[in-house]
Amino acid sequence: MTRSLLAALALVLACSTASAHSYKLGALEIGHPWARATPPTAPTAGAFLTVKNTGTTPDRLISITSPVASAVQVHETKMEGNVMRMRERDGGLEIPPGATVTLAPGNLHLMMMGLKEPFKQGDKVPVTLVFEKAGKIDVELVVVPIGATPKHDEHK
Ligand SMILES: [Cu+2]
């Protein structure tokens, strides 16, 4: 089998488990949290998910923690001239009523800093999300191969 075929197969596997891989917390639905495998010495990793607010009031993601990272921040990627820059989003991440906020490569993401061990394909990485109103929930990031993107995620 070719390498790309294997990668495709891995994506299909990651996606087939994705339908069961969502969480409900009050009015919020957290969809398919995932991350990419990291090189052995990588100090950081991006993590991605969607948050849908089915309620009528805004909520806000105010804190993210993980036992495998020393800190987790919400980052925003922006073009400044020809340079892609990441910066921490101040004041957390607002989830407006009726909206789905998508964290995806090249855009918003969770930046996991000070990784205690590399992410390996197939790992389930525990992350705790705290929302201002809905409260706290534990989710698991599904780790896909380096460079891969699950097909159902919105990306450009
Ligand atoms: Cu970042």
Side-chain angles (χ1 to χ4, degrees):
M1 262 202 271
T2 67
R3 185 172 284 236
S4 61
L5 194 57
L6 281 172
L9 200 63
L11 279 188
V12 168
L13 289 173
C15 287
S16 61
T17 56
S19 53
H21 184 217
S22 65
Y23 304 82
K24 255 185 172 309
L25 176 70
L28 302 179
E29 289 173 16
I30 292 125
H32 192 54
W34 66 281
R36 289 179 178 139
T38 59
T41 56
T44 63
F48 313 100
L49 49 80
T50 59
V51 186
K52 182 178 180 184
N53 186 348
T54 64
T56 52
T57 53
D59 207 335
R60 186 176 289 274
L61 177 60
I62 50 173
S63 154
I64 312 116
T65 54
S66 172
V68 304
S70 59
V72 187
Q73 300 176 342
V74 177
H75 274 196
E76 194 166 23
T77 310
K78 277 208 170 131
M79 287 301 282
E80 283 177 18
N82 292 322
V83 189
M84 285 267 255
R85 287 190 196 284
M86 293 195 305
R87 41 172 257 150
E88 188 178 3
R89 181 91 165 217
D90 295 325
L93 181 64
E94 167 141 328
I95 319 292
T100 300
V101 175
T102 302
L103 285 77
N107 193 352
L108 286 167
H109 54 277
L110 303 182
M111 198 71 176
M112 309 195 49
M113 330 211 2
L115 294 187
K116 302 194 172 126
E117 53 195 64
F119 292 178
K120 295 190 298 293
Q121 182 185 337
D123 279 357
K124 301 268 170 64
V125 176
V127 171
T128 302
L129 307 173
V130 181
F131 294 89
E132 203 169 55
K133 293 190 185 120
K136 185 166 133 177
I137 186 168
D138 295 326
V139 304
E140 281 181 333
L141 305 173
V142 167
V143 179
V144 303
I146 291 179
T149 301
K151 199 167 49 188
H152 46 78
D153 271 280
E154 295 170 282
H155 58 282
K156 305 165 195 113

